[in-house]
Amino acid sequence: MNHAIFPMIVGLPKIHNTMKPMNTMRSAVLLGSVLSSLSLAHAGEVAPPPQTTYSEPSMWNWFIGGSGGVQGDDAEEFWSGHVGAEWKNDCNSHAIYLEVAFTDFSNNVTNDGPPFVVSDPGGPPVGVLTGDRMVVDVDVMPVTLNYKYEYSFTPSFGWYIGAGAGIAFVDSELHLFSSGGDKLADDDDEVFYAQIFTGVTWNVTENFEVFGGARYYFMDDVDFNVSDFEQSDSQDDWIVEAGLRFNF
């Protein structure tokens, strides 16, 4: 009996050998499903839109410009250059700027005092009699800080008014009006300088404008002390000018 059962037992299949591949296959299918779900979930995420930053417009805008004009009865030339900043609000604007200018002029003076003699290092002494006429030649370079208010009554046209003050670097010479204009004295000085101005503007483009107007200036005394002759000569005059300006 034992011999009859043994062949039957021996012929049974090995179940434990087939179960291991099936478990491995199920694990692989389950892992693939999990990975597929994770991939779909990640693909479904929407990236946030890029953030847009806005910068506030600058209240102050830089500008640079210059002008040329004439002053006085003799139409002496006047030149200026300036740089500054402007704040605009609708039709109104306020500007602060630094200006450097150059002009020259001549004034006639008379010796109303006693005669005097001036030593000339390059030649013989020069005598000045009572009643002799003399000429003061002056070169002036004013440096001023200015304020300008402007009102635009149309997008292209407007008017302005302003004032400024500073110092003027003065180089002056005193000459005799007669006898070939012998030089009697020279002087370098720094004196007070002030001005007021007004005019109209034309905005050719958003960044380029043309202006024209007039200014009145006052310059403090330029002193000469030559022997017994003393001269204190201030200067004030009107200037008619035109110029241009570039806005950044």
Side-chain angles (χ1 to χ4, degrees):
M1 185 164 184
N2 293 335
H3 290 89
I5 296 172
F6 179 75
M8 295 176 64
I9 296 175
V10 172
L12 290 174
K14 295 181 180 180
I15 299 174
H16 65 277
N17 290 334
T18 59
M19 291 298 292
K20 186 173 182 181
M22 291 178 65
N23 291 336
T24 303
M25 185 179 298
R26 290 176 181 175
S27 299
V29 172
L30 180 60
L31 179 61
S33 300
V34 172
L35 293 176
S36 178
S37 300
L38 292 176
S39 299
L40 291 174
H42 179 71
E45 293 179 358
V46 179
Q51 295 182 354
T52 303
T53 57
Y54 297 95
S55 59
E56 292 291 335
S58 176
M59 293 179 59
W60 291 91
N61 298 311
W62 290 97
F63 63 85
I64 188 171
S67 68
V70 294
Q71 65 166 325
D73 297 333
D74 296 331
E76 293 101 342
E77 295 181 355
F78 174 89
W79 301 99
S80 73
H82 56 258
V83 61
E86 182 179 36
W87 177 70
K88 292 185 177 182
N89 181 18
D90 294 331
C91 298
N92 305 286
S93 72
H94 305 269
I96 297 175
Y97 62 92
L98 181 71
E99 181 180 65
V100 179
F102 176 80
T103 187
D104 57 4
F105 57 86
S106 299
N107 285 338
N108 296 330
V109 295
T110 302
N111 179 26
D112 295 327
F116 61 91
V117 176
V118 178
S119 299
D120 184 359
V126 179
V128 180
L129 303 177
T130 301
D132 278 351
R133 297 172 59 193
M134 293 169 285
V135 180
V136 181
D137 293 326
V138 184
D139 293 336
V140 184
M141 186 177 72
V143 180
T144 55
L145 183 64
N146 302 270
Y147 166 78
K148 175 178 70 74
Y149 168 77
E150 183 174 335
Y151 177 79
S152 298
F153 45 83
T154 73
S156 298
F157 295 95
W159 61 270
Y160 65 88
I161 189 171
I167 61 173
F169 298 92
V170 181
D171 180 14
S172 52
E173 294 183 353
L174 181 66
H175 297 264
L176 274 179
F177 191 81
S178 58
S179 68
D182 296 298
K183 185 171 73 172
L184 304 176
D186 55 22
D187 187 31
D188 295 327
D189 204 356
E190 298 84 34
V191 298
F192 175 75
Y193 186 98
Q195 61 183 1
I196 57 174
F197 47 85
T198 186
V200 294
T201 62
W202 173 32
N203 297 309
V204 182
T205 67
E206 184 179 356
N207 301 105
F208 175 66
E209 66 179 270
V210 177
F211 63 91
R215 68 173 79 191
Y216 174 81
Y217 76 89
F218 169 81
M219 186 179 69
D220 209 353
D221 296 344
V222 178
D223 297 326
F224 284 99
N225 188 353
V226 184
S227 186
D228 294 328
F229 173 78
E230 293 184 6
Q231 174 69 26
S232 182
D233 189 30
S234 62
Q235 175 76 10
D236 61 290
D237 212 338
W238 284 94
I239 298 172
V240 179
E241 63 178 331
L244 48 85
R245 184 177 295 119
F246 295 93
N247 301 297
F248 299 98

